[in-house]
């Protein structure tokens, strides 16, 4: 019998219980530069004025984490939720990054126009993958997408395009608009990327909970059965691909704004593998796992590089192997499984 | 007849189109260029095939896409180099390595013995950890006491590069062997005890998970193998100097063939160990197998960089393939064999014996041998059945797990052999694995993922296309409606191969030889 609590109160409480951690994390991250400044003895006004210091440096590192998180969550949508194994995800990211760089550098477009371009670009790329989608399945789809991404990787390195893409050295010296300039307006960029990351996460969670997202999960579990139930699975896969591709291109946009150089490496297989590693570490199909994985991935890489220099990769490999053997479903996945077991 | 034609129509059309392209490609070339390009393509194709065949066997039987396969290829090259250029180090390592294996080969024995001992609850939980820690301490103390003459990748005069150059110029001087400091008997017994303890600790970990009675039967096979290995290890230990002397004296040709054998065996052992310890627990989590093989590939690259150094270096060719006497370049097969020439004249073109003849020959032998193994033997039959439906094979009472281990080991062994074969022609570097993994993946996709003949055909196709494009990069292609010949720039070489894969997969989603799901 629940009479003491009115339904409205109940839902607020339940909502707080479900999302309290997330809001707390959001507030903590927004206040993070000031907390660092407090420990360093740096006045808060300096943080707001983007003076150099540990607070600014850590903001830069966290912006990289946020960008990786946006990128990885977009991969989780097609791999973890829809069950499409793609090895060409880096193309989405790199196309966004290159487009932004070229738009700022060669055409001096504004931020709004660039973002519209990013969305169009994302849709075009998703449709490109969508063309091959009905023909190839499983690992063959992975290999075809790998082939497409490799072609993209090769083309942007071609010397004929040096004027735009900078050939094999990549885009150098992109002039970002003053509004989101990473060196003079770091704190603003930090807040923007933080907000965008959380927005993307909320949109994705909504998508997965929506009827469309449910069908996507059904496709992952058993595509034939989803077909039998009367869903045209192609449309749902394409929808997931479009959302994923736009998000990845958006991550590419912030990458260019933050760096502000683009190396051709972001189009390579290594960058797709990074996304794969992140969501495997965090937990496939958990969404929040992509966020956790991105943080672990980037911070681990940074820490190991700083501590061990050349041997960092060896330790990274060891850590991956140990993670797989001892955290069977990724960090978030294993934690959820454990909680589920203790509850029931 | 017409039925087969109809069934395979798309395949036949694709093959015809490819053949047509090849003939058109050959039109603008002189005969000697054509022959050389085809042979080079075959040579690259054969090395790719050695990597791709293992990948396809493993993927077909176990659905594991082994992303560390390229690194196994690289490891084979480095192991082969060590046997070939530094036999003294190889002999030094042999004894401790064999002793280590003795303990692990005896695992069934430890398991049977453990089944007779009863531990109470807490002790059963704890003792494997204790045993493992003690074993690591013992091994750490004893293994370092074995004198191993090494090289120092940091110091140029003692780096792998210098040794390679010295061997190529025929003035290789191996450093003085290190004397043994501790009492040898303690080191040997310590290594044996340590490896046995470690193996029984692992057996204990495994036992904890299993419920029910363990078999107390002591198997005879492993014991006999262990005794043979022990004798070999002792022989290698006390006959160290004599063995090194003998290896130096058999010359580069003998050593090269030995290097091929050792690399293959090493690959087989590494593959077996990798499958049993790391891949096996993950068969029900396929996505994580990708991650673990990726992690392993990172580890191997870094281990190779730590041991052999970061710079690239070459592996000299064996004497059999580097004769430069008066009768060279040879003009007939007889001349070639008599003078051991490095090049041979064929259709007025100079062809390198090693790169363009020997590699293809070995590749063909492996192709036929593995093909026979798959077609004509019992284990081959089980493998083919397992590719079709491994659950059914298991239901028929065949131990599929053992076959899995064998196939994984075989695949890695083939890649490893490919590495040592490719090393003298392309050199050794820590990125060679990644390049060939990509080529092998493309070959696999073209040939149909699980088909062994498909892997061979795809690999050869990839090699041929790649070499033809490189050739045309030098002379240019006459494209209709274009005045000047079109010259593909170097980056287009990988693009052409990738494009080929995408087109073939879009026309034939199951590849050339794949069966439809």
């Amino acid at each position: 019998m629940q009479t003491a609590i009115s339904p409205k109160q109940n839902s607020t409480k339940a909502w707080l219980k479900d999302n309290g951690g997330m809001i707390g994390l959001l507030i903590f991250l927004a206040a993070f530069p000031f907390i660092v400044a407090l420990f360093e003895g740096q006045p808060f006004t300096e943080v707001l004025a983007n003076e150099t210091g540990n607070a600014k440096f850590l903001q830069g590192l966290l912006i990289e984490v946020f960008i990786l998180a946006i990128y990885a969550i977009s991969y989780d949508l097609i791999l973890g939720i829809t069950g499409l194994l793609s090895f060409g995800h880096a193309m989405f990211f790199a196309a966004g990054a290159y487009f932004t760089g070229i738009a700022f550098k060669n055409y001096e477009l504004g931020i709004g126009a660039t973002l519209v371009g990013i969305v169009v670009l994302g849709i075009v790329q998703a449709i490109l993958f969508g063309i091959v989608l009905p023909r190839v399945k499983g690992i063959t789809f992975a290999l075809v997408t790998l082939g497409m991404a490799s072609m993209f990787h090769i083309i942007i390195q071609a010397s004929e395009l040096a004027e735009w893409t900078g050939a094999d050295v990549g885009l150098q010296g992109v002039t970002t608009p003053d509004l989101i300039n990473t060196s003079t307006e770091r704190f603003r960029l930090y807040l923007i990327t933080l907000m965008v990351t959380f927005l993307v996460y909320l949109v994705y969670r909504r998508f997965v909970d929506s009827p469309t997202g449910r069908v996507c999960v059904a496709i992952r579990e058993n595509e034939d059965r989803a077909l039998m139930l009367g869903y045209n699975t192609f449309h749902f896969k394409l929808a997931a691909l479009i959302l994923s591709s736009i998000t990845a291109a958006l991550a590419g946009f912030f990458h260019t704004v933050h760096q502000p150089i683009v190396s051709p490496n972001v189009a390579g297989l290594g960058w797709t593998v990074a996304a794969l590693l992140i969501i495997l570490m965090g937990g496939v199909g958990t969404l929040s796992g992509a966020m956790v994985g991105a943080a672990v991935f980037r911070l681990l890489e940074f820490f190991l590089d700083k501590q061990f220099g050349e041997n960092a990769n060896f330790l990274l490999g060891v850590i991956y192997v140990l993670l797989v053997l001892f955290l069977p479903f990724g960090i978030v996945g294993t934690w959820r499984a454990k909680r589920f077991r203790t509850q029931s | 007849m017409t039925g087969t034609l109809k069934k395979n129509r798309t395949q036949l059309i694709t093959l015809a189109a490819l053949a047509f392209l090849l003939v058109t490609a050959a039109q603008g070339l002189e005969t000697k260029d054509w022959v050389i390009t085809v042979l080079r393509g075959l040579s690259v194709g054969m090395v790719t095939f050695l990597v791709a065949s293992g990948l396809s066997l493993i993927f077909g039987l176990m659905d594991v896409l082994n992303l560390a396969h390229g690194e196994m290829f690289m490891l084979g090259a480095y192991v082969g180099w060590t046997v070939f250029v530094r036999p003294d180090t190889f002999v030094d390592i042999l004894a401790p390595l064999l002793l280590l294996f003795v303990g692990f080969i005896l695992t069934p024995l430890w398991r049977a013995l453990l089944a007779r001992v009863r531990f109470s609850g807490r002790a059963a939980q704890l003792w494997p950890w204790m045993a493992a820690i003690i074993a690591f301490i013992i091994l750490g103390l004893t293994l370092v006491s074995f004198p191993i003459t090494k090289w120092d990748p940091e110091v140029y005069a003692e780096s792998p590069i210098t040794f390679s150059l010295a061997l190529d110029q025929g003035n290789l001087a191996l450093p003085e062997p290190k004397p043994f400091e501790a009492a040898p008997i303690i080191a040997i017994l310590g290594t044996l005890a340590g490896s046995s303890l470690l193996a029984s600790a692992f057996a204990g970990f495994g036992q904890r998970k299993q419920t029910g009675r363990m078999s107390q039967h002591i198997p005879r096979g492993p014991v006999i193998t262990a005794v043979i290995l022990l004798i070999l290890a002792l022989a290698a230990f006390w006959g160290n100097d004599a063995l090194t002397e003998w290896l130096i004296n058999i010359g580069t040709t003998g050593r090269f063939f030995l290097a091929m054998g050792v690399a293959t065996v090493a690959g087989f052992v590494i593959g077996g160990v990798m499958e049993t310890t790391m891949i096996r627990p993950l068969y029900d989590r396929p996505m994580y197998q990708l991650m673990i093989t990726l992690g392993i590939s990172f580890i191997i690259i870094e281990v190779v960089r730590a041991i052999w150094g970061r710079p690239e270096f070459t592996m000299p060719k064996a004497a059999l393939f580097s004769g430069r006497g008066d009768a060279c370049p040879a003009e007939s097969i007889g001349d070639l064999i008599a003078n051991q020439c490095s090049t041979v004249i064929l259709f007025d073109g100079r062809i390198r014996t090693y790169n363009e003849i020997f590699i293809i020959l070995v590749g063909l032998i492996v192709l036929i041998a593995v093909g026979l193994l798959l077609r004509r033997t019992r284990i081959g039959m089980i493998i083919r059945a397992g590719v079709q439906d491994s659950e059914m094979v298991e239901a028929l009472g065949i131990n599929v797990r053992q076959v899995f281990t064998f196939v994984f080991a075989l695949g890695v062994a083939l890649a490893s052999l490919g590495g040592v074969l490719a090393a003298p022609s392309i050199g050794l570097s820590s990125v060679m694995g990644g390049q060939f993994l990509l080529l092998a993946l493309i070959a696999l996709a073209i040939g149909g993922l699980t088909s062994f003949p498909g892997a061979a055909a795809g690999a050869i196709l990839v090699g041929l296309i790649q070499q033809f494009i490189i050739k045309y990069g030098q002379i240019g292609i006459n494209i209709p409606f274009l005045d000047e010949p079109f010259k593909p720039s170097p980056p287009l070489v990988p693009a052409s191969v990738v494009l080929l894969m995408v087109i073939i997969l879009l026309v034939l989603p199951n590849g050339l030889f794949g069966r439809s799901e």
Side-chain angles (χ1 to χ4, degrees):
Chain A
M1 290 292 281
Q2 42 170 197
T3 45
I5 309 161
S6 73
K8 199 178 176 189
Q9 256 183 319
N10 187 14
S11 68
T12 322
K13 264 195 176 168
W15 187 85
L16 259 185
K17 199 185 162 201
D18 281 354
N19 298 302
M22 194 178 77
I23 291 167
L25 184 66
L26 187 61
I27 292 169
F28 171 75
L29 281 176
F32 181 72
F34 299 103
I35 297 172
V36 174
L38 205 64
F39 277 104
E40 296 277 312
Q42 206 181 11
F44 286 173
T45 45
E46 278 194 11
V47 177
L48 287 172
N50 296 299
E51 299 279 338
T52 40
N54 245 347
K56 188 175 180 186
F57 173 73
L58 286 174
Q59 280 177 54
L61 192 63
L62 280 179
I63 290 175
E64 284 174 27
V65 170
F66 298 151
I67 292 169
L68 269 179
I70 302 174
Y71 172 55
I73 203 173
S74 73
Y75 193 55
D76 200 16
L77 181 68
I78 55 168
L79 176 69
I81 306 292
T82 322
L84 286 172
L85 180 59
S86 151
F87 279 164
H89 206 68
M91 184 174 100
F92 296 161
F93 182 89
Y98 267 94
F99 176 80
T100 311
I102 293 168
F104 285 160
K105 194 179 170 191
N106 295 29
Y107 298 99
E108 291 171 2
L109 286 183
I111 299 172
T114 311
L115 283 176
V116 171
I118 291 274
V119 172
V120 175
L121 189 73
I123 295 173
V124 169
Q125 291 185 89
I127 290 173
L128 191 68
F129 273 30
I131 293 171
V132 302
L133 199 51
R135 284 206 62 81
V136 285
K137 289 201 173 56
I139 199 88
T140 322
F141 178 71
L143 289 172
V144 172
T145 49
L146 170 67
M148 288 180 160
S150 307
M151 302 255 281
F152 180 78
H153 187 202
I154 291 161
I155 286 168
I156 56 168
Q157 289 187 75
S159 45
E160 287 85 352
L161 294 174
E163 198 183 327
W164 289 283
T165 62
D168 50 357
V169 287
L171 276 174
Q172 304 279 345
V174 178
T175 45
T176 43
D178 290 337
L179 187 67
I180 46 172
N181 194 314
T182 183
S183 51
T184 56
E185 294 290 347
R186 174 74 52 96
F187 186 56
R188 185 185 287 159
L189 185 65
Y190 174 78
L191 285 185
I192 290 174
T193 44
L194 174 63
M195 287 302 161
V196 169
T197 312
F198 271 82
L199 271 181
V200 165
Y201 174 66
L202 290 179
V203 168
Y204 271 56
R205 222 172 60 170
R206 183 71 193 85
F207 178 82
V208 174
D209 286 339
S210 74
T212 315
R214 290 283 146 208
V215 178
C216 286
V217 175
I219 293 171
R220 176 191 71 195
E221 293 300 327
N222 191 340
E223 183 168 359
D224 291 333
R225 194 161 169 195
L227 271 170
M228 281 293 288
L229 290 172
Y231 294 109
N232 186 343
T233 54
F234 171 70
H235 290 165
F236 291 93
K237 285 197 250 177
L238 191 62
L241 261 181
I242 288 176
L243 182 57
S244 164
S245 152
I246 292 174
T247 322
L250 189 69
F253 169 82
F254 282 114
H255 179 81
T256 309
V257 169
H258 177 59
Q259 285 300 345
I261 52 168
V262 188
S263 108
N265 284 343
V266 296
L269 180 60
W271 199 247
T272 306
V273 166
L276 184 66
L277 280 177
I278 288 172
I279 65 166
L280 286 175
M281 272 202 280
V284 180
T286 53
L287 293 188
S288 51
M291 312 292 208
V292 176
V296 172
F297 180 81
R298 183 69 191 102
L299 298 179
L300 202 66
E301 202 183 15
F302 171 75
F303 173 74
L304 289 179
D305 251 0
K306 201 174 156 194
Q307 291 290 317
F308 301 100
E310 283 193 342
N311 300 323
N313 266 337
F314 175 74
L315 291 167
L316 268 181
V318 172
I319 290 170
Y320 293 152
V321 170
L322 291 180
L323 268 178
V324 171
L325 290 179
F326 292 103
L327 284 178
F329 304 104
I331 298 167
V332 173
T334 311
W335 182 67
R336 277 191 190 166
K338 214 162 222 174
R339 206 179 52 168
F340 185 72
R341 215 181 302 143
T342 48
Q343 272 177 359
S344 55
Chain B
M1 181 66 195
T2 39
T4 356
L5 271 181
K6 245 184 202 157
K7 223 176 177 179
N8 298 320
R9 194 174 51 196
T10 336
Q11 269 95 335
L12 290 173
I13 291 173
T14 317
L15 282 179
L18 286 171
F20 174 73
L21 275 180
L22 202 63
V23 171
T24 345
Q27 283 290 307
L29 289 177
E30 292 173 44
T31 322
K32 70 169 188 185
D33 284 345
W34 190 81
V35 169
I36 287 180
T37 315
V38 166
L39 283 177
R40 276 192 192 152
L42 282 178
S43 159
V44 174
M46 280 307 173
V47 175
T48 314
F49 158 72
L50 286 174
V51 184
S53 61
L55 261 183
S56 111
L57 282 176
I58 293 171
F59 184 75
L61 190 62
M62 294 164 257
D63 278 341
V64 178
L65 195 60
N66 182 13
L67 292 180
H69 218 69
E71 274 58 50
M72 298 300 166
F73 170 81
M74 175 182 79
L75 207 58
Y78 278 91
V79 169
W81 179 88
T82 308
V83 176
F84 186 64
V85 180
R86 292 293 305 268
D88 54 337
T89 310
F90 164 64
V91 174
D92 284 349
I93 294 174
L94 206 56
L97 213 56
L98 284 175
L99 286 173
L100 262 183
F101 267 111
V102 170
F104 280 93
I105 291 262
L106 286 174
T107 303
L109 176 69
W110 308 133
R111 209 173 276 155
L113 288 179
L114 284 173
R116 299 180 184 196
V117 191
R118 290 258 166 268
F119 289 102
S120 58
R122 181 52 62 90
Q125 290 278 322
L126 271 181
W127 80 262
W129 290 103
M130 301 299 290
I133 291 168
I134 295 172
F136 274 121
I137 292 171
I138 295 177
L139 286 179
L141 287 175
T142 51
L143 282 181
V144 290
S145 67
F146 281 95
I148 293 169
T149 44
K150 282 175 288 199
W151 54 84
D152 191 350
E154 305 293 326
V155 183
Y156 185 75
E158 291 173 21
S159 70
I161 305 171
T162 316
F163 283 111
S164 276
L165 285 176
L167 182 66
D168 208 16
Q169 289 155 2
N171 52 14
L172 178 69
L174 294 176
E176 280 292 303
K178 274 203 229 166
F180 207 109
E181 281 156 11
I185 200 77
I186 293 176
I188 290 174
L189 287 181
T191 313
L192 261 181
S195 70
S196 306
L197 206 56
L198 196 62
S200 46
F202 282 147
F205 283 130
Q207 201 181 27
R208 247 181 10 188
K209 287 177 190 157
Q210 283 171 9
T211 47
R213 286 182 59 82
M214 302 282 295
S215 156
Q216 297 196 355
H217 167 71
I218 295 178
R220 202 168 292 158
V223 178
I224 295 170
T225 325
V227 169
I228 294 172
L229 279 184
L230 187 62
I231 292 169
L232 280 178
L234 295 181
F237 186 75
W238 269 292
N240 193 323
D241 294 341
L243 199 57
T244 312
E245 190 89 350
W246 179 72
L247 278 177
I248 300 279
N249 287 336
I250 58 172
T252 51
T253 309
R255 253 192 348 262
F256 181 68
F257 284 104
L258 185 75
M260 277 166 58
V262 169
T264 314
V265 171
F268 196 85
V269 172
I270 292 169
V273 170
M274 194 173 143
E275 201 274 344
T276 43
T277 55
M278 283 180 275
I279 309 288
R280 190 174 280 182
L282 301 177
Y283 278 122
D284 43 353
R285 294 190 281 139
M287 203 58 79
Y288 287 86
Q289 285 170 340
L290 279 183
M291 184 167 165
I292 206 163
T293 53
L294 216 74
I296 293 168
S297 76
F298 283 170
I299 294 176
I300 293 177
I301 289 181
E302 291 308 315
V303 165
V304 162
R305 281 181 179 164
I307 297 178
W308 285 276
R310 281 167 178 262
E312 296 178 19
F313 52 91
T314 55
M315 177 161 158
K317 289 193 174 90
L320 183 59
F321 314 109
S322 53
R324 299 180 198 281
D326 295 335
C328 290
E331 299 197 344
S332 68
I333 301 293
D335 270 7
L336 178 68
I337 293 168
N339 298 310
Q340 307 185 338
C341 289
S342 62
T343 53
V344 61
I345 302 281
L346 199 66
F347 294 107
D348 298 334
R350 267 172 165 235
I351 288 165
R352 286 166 295 176
T353 319
Y354 181 80
N355 292 19
E356 273 107 51
I357 296 178
F358 183 71
I359 290 183
I360 298 177
L361 221 60
V362 175
L364 280 177
I365 292 171
V366 171
L367 176 64
I368 293 167
V370 178
L372 282 180
L373 177 85
L374 286 178
R375 294 272 150 211
R376 293 267 180 272
T377 60
R378 187 178 155 73
I379 190 148
M381 194 172 72
I382 297 173
I383 292 170
R384 278 183 296 137
V387 170
Q388 296 232 321
D389 189 344
S390 66
E391 278 174 12
M392 188 66 211
V393 177
E394 206 162 11
L396 290 174
I398 289 159
N399 188 347
V400 182
R401 285 294 156 97
Q402 257 174 25
V403 181
F404 280 10
T405 311
F406 171 76
V407 167
F408 203 96
L410 179 71
V412 173
L414 288 180
S416 189
L417 175 66
V420 69
L421 261 187
S425 67
I426 63 171
L428 295 101
S429 70
S430 50
V431 295
M432 65 196 279
Q435 293 164 357
F436 270 88
L437 179 70
L438 199 64
L439 276 186
L441 271 179
I442 294 171
L444 211 62
I446 290 175
L449 286 166
T450 58
S451 144
F452 181 75
I460 289 169
L461 210 57
V462 164
L464 282 178
I465 300 264
Q466 194 201 39
Q467 290 303 316
F468 266 105
I469 296 285
I470 289 178
K471 187 75 206 163
Y472 276 117
Q474 293 157 2
I475 60 168
I477 309 175
N478 289 310
I479 292 179
F481 312 116
L482 275 183
D483 293 337
E484 274 179 42
F486 171 67
K487 283 191 179 179
S489 52
L492 276 175
V493 177
S496 64
V497 181
V498 172
L499 190 64
L500 175 82
M501 174 187 85
V502 171
I503 292 173
I504 287 192
L505 282 183
L506 287 181
V507 179
L508 297 165
N510 293 312
L512 285 176
F513 292 78
R515 63 204 156 77
S516 55
E517 306 268 320

